[in-house]
Amino acid sequence: MSERKRIILDVDTGIDDALAILYLLKAKEAHVEGIIAGFGNVDAELAAENTLKIVELADCGYEVPVLVGAKAPLIRAWKGPVTHIHGENGIGNVELPKPKQAVSTEHPSVFLSRLANTYPGEITLVTVGRMTNLANALAHDPSLKEKLKEVVVMGGAIRVPGNVTPVVEANMGGDPEAAYFVVESGIPLTLVSLDVTMKTRLTLAHLGVLERIAAPERSQIVRTVRELLTFRLEAYAKSNGITDGSPLHDPLAVAVALDPTLVETEQLHVAIECKGSVSAGATIADMRAVPRVGRVLTTCRSVDAERFIKRFVAVLAGRDEEEVTWNL
């Protein structure tokens, strides 16, 4: 256990969240202490149900508590599920067995505080949904800033376009005030933004390699991954005109939490914009010689996409990275 990172994952389980959960639960270097599911791609209750289904599919060999998190942004109305990207049920309309495990009744803020106090300096929090749960937890227990080992966030767009407006990424835009509160709290953050996630595109050819090399006991996982990504690829092509693969947004964030060498990082002053019909949720980096705006965050500038995708395939296949060879 001492060699495995203690991870708490915060999700809004749609397709890429599901892939991130599978990756994390099958990664040998991670121990998932719990998963908090909030609104975003789907409503919080469905996100929790989807999470339980994926946890049971992963069959990681230990119990992973799943909690229901925030049901709406801090002060705004939730705009509803993202069915055109994630399907009616959030996981590409893939039907999985009803989960046997029930959701935990513990409040997410209490859970985060309790784990951080039980394992001070050992918990890595990875948020791949809206930042509402973390904002609530920091309001409940400001000492989390010192007690969490690190916080890795999938979100933002620094030097690239957004995916919900020209300048806004979905997780930041889904609750700008929560993102603002978290950033301004001063808690150390690593921002895994669209700058790098859009470069990690899984193709049908990659899926073919996964299917070819997967261990026999991973067959159900592999079938589910194909169904999820087939839906995702079609959705991306229709909505964004992207036809060369599905960006692995959330899986990259959890992979970076486990291995920061997958990305090249840069310290930047970043501010979260909360106003404007187009700019609410924008991650604005002050790149002037003498920055005067924002808090210092660790931002991702580039990614070794080839190495990450190979690792992603290897982990899901139950193989070593050396066994993954491309013939695309």
Side-chain angles (χ1 to χ4, degrees):
M1 180 65 225
S2 60
E3 298 179 358
R4 303 176 76 182
K5 282 194 173 183
R6 297 185 186 274
I7 305 284
I8 295 176
L9 185 61
D10 189 317
V11 298
D12 55 338
T13 302
I15 293 173
D16 47 343
D17 306 74
L19 296 173
I21 294 166
L22 285 172
Y23 180 91
L24 197 55
L25 290 176
K26 287 304 186 184
K28 295 177 181 178
E29 63 270 38
H31 186 277
V32 181
E33 299 289 340
I35 304 177
I36 302 169
F39 77 95
N41 295 322
V42 293
D43 64 65
E45 288 82 3
L46 183 53
E49 181 179 345
N50 287 345
T51 301
L52 287 170
K53 289 178 178 179
I54 299 299
V55 167
E56 292 188 7
L57 173 65
D59 190 23
C60 66
Y62 59 91
E63 185 175 350
V64 180
V66 174
L67 299 83
V68 178
K71 299 180 180 181
L74 291 182
I75 63 174
R76 299 175 185 237
W78 178 44
K79 295 181 180 179
V82 191
T83 56
H84 68 289
I85 295 293
H86 297 277
E88 294 298 326
N89 69 350
I91 48 175
N93 300 329
V94 176
E95 294 296 332
L96 294 174
K98 186 175 178 62
K100 300 180 181 69
Q101 180 181 333
V103 296
S104 169
T105 58
E106 190 170 14
H107 191 283
S109 295
V110 175
F111 174 77
L112 272 170
S113 180
R114 178 172 64 82
L115 268 291
N117 280 283
T118 302
Y119 305 109
E122 295 185 42
I123 298 291
T124 294
L125 174 64
V126 186
T127 72
V128 297
R130 283 51 171 164
M131 298 178 73
T132 319
N133 293 317
L134 178 53
N136 287 333
L138 285 166
H140 169 79
D141 182 0
S143 74
L144 285 172
K145 289 188 295 184
E146 289 78 37
K147 292 176 180 174
L148 290 172
K149 179 180 180 179
E150 57 188 339
V151 179
V152 178
V153 174
M154 190 280 118
I158 304 294
R159 298 178 177 84
V160 298
N163 58 2
V164 291
T165 81
V167 293
V168 177
E169 179 275 329
N171 285 334
M172 298 298 186
D175 193 347
E177 286 75 23
Y180 175 87
F181 181 85
V182 171
V183 169
E184 290 300 313
S185 76
I187 191 169
L189 298 176
T190 296
L191 203 63
V192 183
S193 61
L194 297 182
D195 301 65
V196 286
T197 65
M198 289 299 293
K199 298 174 182 176
T200 60
R201 300 189 184 186
L202 196 74
T203 66
L204 289 174
H206 292 130
L207 276 176
V209 174
L210 171 61
E211 291 168 326
R212 175 172 57 81
I213 70 170
E217 65 273 14
R218 299 291 177 92
S219 60
Q220 184 57 52
I221 288 176
V222 172
R223 281 196 297 271
T224 302
V225 169
R226 172 167 279 279
E227 292 176 347
L228 291 170
L229 278 160
T230 297
F231 185 97
R232 180 78 161 183
L233 286 164
E234 293 175 357
Y236 255 91
K238 290 177 183 177
S239 64
N240 300 317
I242 295 173
T243 58
D244 60 344
S246 174
L248 295 173
H249 302 295
D250 297 351
L252 180 62
V254 298
V256 168
L258 297 177
D259 181 6
T261 70
L262 288 169
V263 291
E264 178 188 357
T265 61
E266 179 181 14
Q267 301 292 306
L268 290 175
H269 284 73
V270 176
I272 308 298
E273 176 59 56
C274 291
K275 298 178 181 179
S277 59
V278 174
S279 59
T283 43
I284 300 171
D286 189 345
M287 299 183 190
R288 294 175 292 184
V290 182
R292 297 182 180 86
V293 174
R295 294 277 188 167
V296 176
L297 305 184
T298 300
T299 65
C300 294
R301 188 181 182 95
S302 63
V303 58
D304 189 338
E306 174 77 7
R307 183 158 63 99
F308 163 63
I309 293 175
K310 183 171 286 192
R311 183 169 301 175
F312 178 80
V313 169
V315 168
L316 293 188
R319 301 297 188 187
D320 294 330
E321 282 184 60
E322 295 75 16
E323 299 178 77
V324 181
T325 57
W326 305 133
N327 184 20
L328 307 180

